[in-house]
Amino acid sequence: LQGLAIIGVRITGIEHEFSTIPNVNEDVVDILLNLKQIILKGDISEPTLARLHVKEPGIVTANDITLPESVCLVDSRQYITCLNTHGNLEMEFLIAQGQNYIVSGRLDYVLPPGFLAVDAVFMPVTKVNFFVETSRNFSLEESFKKSNLTSEIESLLLEIWTNGSIKPSEALSYSAEILENTFSLL
């Protein structure tokens, strides 16, 4: 299934991921890991920029990001970093639509100069479980008594967990559509 994710970040004054940022608690690697956890939803056709600019000391969360109109946050409280003193923390984020999980090393060639790659988690479905439940059909029971047959109905129960960017019913519907399109090619 398709999803949105931050695939790259440009931090003012930072050239590589093993740097530290003045007046910030976390190093760049920790910030990249925190950015990976931001869940976005929306509809974009091409990679889009978002910005963050913080000057006051305090906790910096996903809510501090200025997003384009077509994109919104699932959890605006997602922690990014903490600014210790008055300073200037500026970031630009590259948001893209994709599917699956793409490690940062495979994104390096796509990013503009100055951007650091972020592992992209595009997957809106986090877990799926299924059960097959067997039950007797009592409405047909009488008709089978004479023939010594039993009537059993099997039901498929699906449990779908998502990251909040889509509803489980939408995930099932989109998945069924993908499956139908795949089999129609055969």
Side-chain angles (χ1 to χ4, degrees):
L1 297 180
Q2 296 277 321
L4 295 182
I6 296 172
I7 63 169
V9 61
R10 179 171 31 209
I11 305 171
T12 302
I14 301 301
E15 298 297 322
H16 57 83
E17 63 189 38
F18 301 110
S19 301
T20 58
I21 306 170
N23 304 321
V24 173
N25 280 355
E26 288 78 16
D27 59 16
V28 174
V29 172
D30 289 332
I31 292 172
L32 294 177
L33 291 171
N34 292 338
L35 293 175
K36 182 171 115 172
Q37 296 178 27
I38 294 176
I39 301 169
L40 303 165
K41 65 179 180 177
D43 188 29
I44 58 174
S45 57
E46 58 187 34
T48 306
L49 280 176
R51 290 180 172 75
L52 177 135
H53 188 195
V54 178
K55 292 182 179 182
E56 298 298 319
I59 294 175
V60 179
T61 64
N63 195 46
D64 296 315
I65 299 172
T66 304
L67 294 167
E69 288 184 23
S70 59
V71 178
C72 64
L73 296 163
V74 171
D75 182 8
S76 60
R77 298 170 297 157
Q78 174 60 45
Y79 179 82
I80 297 173
T81 191
C82 184
L83 194 58
N84 293 331
T85 60
H86 288 283
N88 193 22
L89 178 61
E90 289 184 68
M91 297 183 192
E92 280 186 310
F93 307 99
L94 192 59
I95 300 169
Q97 185 168 357
Q99 58 190 42
N100 300 327
Y101 178 87
I102 301 176
V103 293
S104 59
R106 297 188 71 196
L107 293 169
D108 286 334
Y109 71 95
V110 178
L111 297 175
F115 274 81
L116 304 172
V118 177
D119 292 339
V121 183
F122 294 111
M123 303 171 297
V125 175
T126 58
K127 183 178 174 184
V128 175
N129 200 4
F130 73 94
F131 304 95
V132 177
E133 185 178 84
T134 305
S135 62
R136 291 192 178 258
N137 185 351
F138 294 107
S139 61
L140 296 177
E141 190 73 32
E142 293 300 319
S143 62
F144 286 105
K145 278 186 181 177
K146 295 177 185 173
S147 62
N148 288 333
L149 297 174
T150 58
S151 168
E152 292 183 352
I153 295 177
E154 291 184 343
S155 300
L156 176 64
L157 303 174
L158 289 172
E159 295 178 338
I160 302 171
W161 288 265
T162 68
N163 63 9
S165 63
I166 62 172
K167 295 177 184 173
S169 59
E170 292 171 334
L172 180 62
S173 177
Y174 294 150
S175 298
E177 187 178 320
I178 292 169
L179 189 62
E180 183 180 345
N181 291 338
T182 302
F183 283 135
S184 70
L185 297 174
L186 302 175

